[in-house]
Amino acid sequence: MDSSKYALPVGTTLDRFIMRKQEDFPYATGELSQLLRDIALAAKIVNREINRSGLIDIAGAYGDQNVQGEDQQKLDVIANIRFIRALRNGDEVCTIISEEDDELIQTGNVQGKYVVAIDPLDGSSNIDVNVSIGTIFSIYRRVSPTGRAGTVADCLQRGTHQVAAGYVIYGSSTMLVYTTGNGVNGFTYENSLGEFFLSHPAIQIPQSGNIYSVNEGSSDSFSPGVAAFVKQCKGQQFSARYIGSLVADFHRNLLKGGIYLYPATAKGPQGKLRLMYECNPLAFIVEQAGGRSSNGASRTMEIEPQAPHERCPIFIGSRELVERVEAFLAKEKAAEATELVARA
Ligand code: AHG
Ligand code: MN
Ligand code: MN
């Protein structure tokens, strides 16, 4: 009997997939695999909290205290606690950068070989209105010796040094998408079984697309290059799609082709999004899927980070579209230089 129809890669559970991938590296110790599983477990718990969140205000259904007897908190704080706890309980991570904490978080696992940067809940303005939100994470190998707390140098590495990155999207279905530098795979959560199953193997982003995603409420303060690019998109009858949750906007464009832009604006001269736990992880994923991410002048993952919470402009998505906006920005820069020379 031909059993090849039973050999489809889709349907594999996330745990098994991680295990199989680990077998590809003969000297792997399994710590990174365990770390990914810890993140997946926290994602399941956060998914449950998000699904219940609509009930928080309904008296009796989900009181103002959680099962641990703690006061009910905002979901982004809850998500932060869940992920940090999961990472502390595992032994793999020494230090964490979280959007929800100004300071670096030392887990106490001084033997941990990894550092994690995380946006526990992305798209927080969409929580109360039942719109897709997400979690974004990035994993680095520490550079300082084990046996003591992780350092700022461990945390502030270029995106090119990431060993893994991923996101969870809590949407019409919940998905976990991640890369360890060997392609991008997406897993869909099956609620009743409590498992993530491989549903999107070897994701590739289309080289071009006709979706642009930007907050046009800020268009008055776009630079001439960004404004020219957006004008061109409109001239070519692109679709404008902007959810306001980076993860959701990114995920759609990853699957369908398109570009997400968060440029410098009057409100945010450095853009809004954070390099370590929003831009770099998605840049790693998009590049692994054949796309591109840039701050307008250079590749996102080559930016030398200066601070855990620094922001940077981002243009991310289908390669051809990102290169197009970069060309507009290069022209803008050249024009500025010519003007300076003319004035001198
Ligand atoms: P967070 O909820 O983690 O603070 O991130 C919000 C981000 C991102 O998800 C989204 O794309 C962007 O903010 C939207 O910003 P604007 O409202 O300025 O468009
Ligand atoms: Mn965010
Ligand atoms: Mn957030």
Side-chain angles (χ1 to χ4, degrees), residues 81-98:
I81 293 171
R82 294 299 187 183
F83 279 101
I84 305 298
R85 262 189 209 157
L87 295 173
R88 282 177 65 109
N89 288 344
D91 293 332
E92 304 83 20
V93 177
C94 58
T95 310
I96 304 164
I97 302 176
S98 166

Side-chain angles (χ1 to χ4, degrees), residues 7-64:
L8 291 173
V10 289
T12 309
T13 66
L14 176 65
D15 277 0
R16 185 167 291 275
F17 185 87
I18 292 173
M19 214 170 72
R20 285 206 185 133
K21 289 287 161 195
Q22 186 193 316
E23 287 162 4
D24 294 345
F25 302 98
Y27 302 108
T29 57
E31 285 158 297
L32 179 61
S33 302
Q34 186 52 46
L35 170 48
L36 289 168
R37 285 196 290 257
D38 292 344
I39 288 176
L41 175 63
K44 289 181 195 176
I45 298 171
V46 169
N47 179 59
R48 188 194 58 187
E49 309 272 11
I50 289 168
N51 288 164
R52 283 179 179 176
S53 64
L55 297 172
I56 288 176
D57 292 332
I58 300 173
Y62 191 61
D64 59 356

Side-chain angles (χ1 to χ4, degrees), residues 108-175:
N109 302 325
V110 293
Q111 298 301 339
K113 284 189 195 151
Y114 294 98
V115 298
V116 169
I118 189 161
D119 178 354
L121 211 63
D122 172 69
S124 19
S125 66
N126 282 325
I127 296 172
D128 297 339
V129 288
N130 220 344
V131 171
S132 299
I133 48 184
T135 295
I136 314 173
F137 62 90
S138 169
I139 303 174
Y140 294 82
R141 200 166 282 117
R142 72 188 289 177
V143 289
S144 69
T146 53
R148 56 185 92 140
T151 64
V152 175
D154 293 325
C155 294
L156 295 186
Q157 301 186 53
R158 283 179 183 210
T160 46
H161 291 170
Q162 289 172 101
V163 294
Y167 62 85
V168 185
I169 176 167
Y170 312 97
S172 48
S173 57
T174 294
M175 280 188 71

Side-chain angles (χ1 to χ4, degrees), residues 76 99-100 119-127 133-134 136 214-216 218 242-249 260-262 265 267 272-274 277-278 311:
D76 35 13
E99 188 195 20
E100 297 299 325
D119 178 354
L121 211 63
D122 172 69
S124 19
S125 66
N126 282 325
I127 296 172
I133 48 184
I136 314 173
V214 64
N215 185 344
E216 282 200 80
S218 308
Y242 191 73
I243 295 169
S245 293
L246 171 65
V247 166
D249 281 307
Y260 177 95
L261 309 86
Y262 211 113
T265 61
K267 244 198 258 166
K272 177 181 184 189
L273 301 178
R274 318 292 184 124
Y277 42 79
E278 292 180 316
R311 300 172 197 270

Side-chain angles (χ1 to χ4, degrees), residues 315-333:
F315 307 92
I316 186 168
S318 294
R319 169 169 295 279
E320 202 264 309
L321 298 177
V322 175
E323 283 172 355
R324 231 197 264 180
V325 73
E326 284 179 303
F328 275 114
L329 289 165
K331 257 195 226 158
E332 171 189 314
K333 230 180 165 183

